[in-house]
Amino acid sequence: MASRTVAARAQCGCGCAKLQNRRVWYDKLYARILSGSTAKYNMLLDGRKKQLLAPLLDDSSIHDVLEIGIGSGANLPYYATVRKDINLTGVDPNTHMQPYLTAACSAAGFPPAH
């Protein structure tokens, strides 16, 4: 049985664009596992995440944040509880993260993207 693949754009270190084949079943499984473990992950790393994000969240001059590899939205609760004025843009190469990220955005109080 052949596995289905989808082409995704990837950037290498030199900046050139390459096509990378990704297995659809793997991306779906990874998205589901990651989203299911987000709460426990945040619980275990809560203090460290607050420490890492504090400079960003304490600086009121920062309003636009780009999170690369946003996944299922593990950091959303940290942005939402401290700052209501952040415009967050998240990107992730795994398109199967979208439903989990959408649910996390709703739970954290971020408006849906247009």
Side-chain angles (χ1 to χ4, degrees), residues 44-103:
L44 291 171
L45 296 176
D46 184 63
R48 182 68 176 139
K49 281 190 167 201
K50 286 179 180 174
Q51 181 184 21
L52 288 170
L53 292 172
L56 169 72
L57 298 175
D58 292 343
D59 187 345
S60 61
S61 68
I62 297 173
H63 297 286
D64 297 308
V65 175
L66 171 63
E67 186 164 329
I68 299 172
I70 195 165
S72 60
N75 292 331
L76 292 177
Y78 297 96
Y79 297 127
T81 57
V82 177
R83 299 271 304 274
K84 301 294 182 195
D85 62 339
I86 286 182
N87 298 313
L88 178 66
T89 301
V91 294
D92 200 284
N94 186 345
T95 58
H96 300 286
M97 291 287 186
Q98 186 66 43
Y100 303 107
L101 180 59
T102 300

Side-chain angles (χ1 to χ4, degrees), residues 9-60:
R9 284 267 174 216
Q11 290 285 111
C12 71
C14 70
C16 68
K18 295 180 178 179
L19 277 177
Q20 172 183 320
N21 288 326
R22 300 175 63 98
R23 287 192 170 94
V24 172
W25 67 266
Y26 177 83
D27 283 355
K28 286 181 180 180
L29 179 64
Y30 183 75
R32 186 171 182 177
I33 290 170
L34 189 65
S35 69
S37 62
T38 297
K40 184 160 186 130
Y41 171 74
N42 278 349
M43 185 180 71
L44 291 171
L45 296 176
D46 184 63
R48 182 68 176 139
K49 281 190 167 201
K50 286 179 180 174
Q51 181 184 21
L52 288 170
L53 292 172
L56 169 72
L57 298 175
D58 292 343
D59 187 345
S60 61

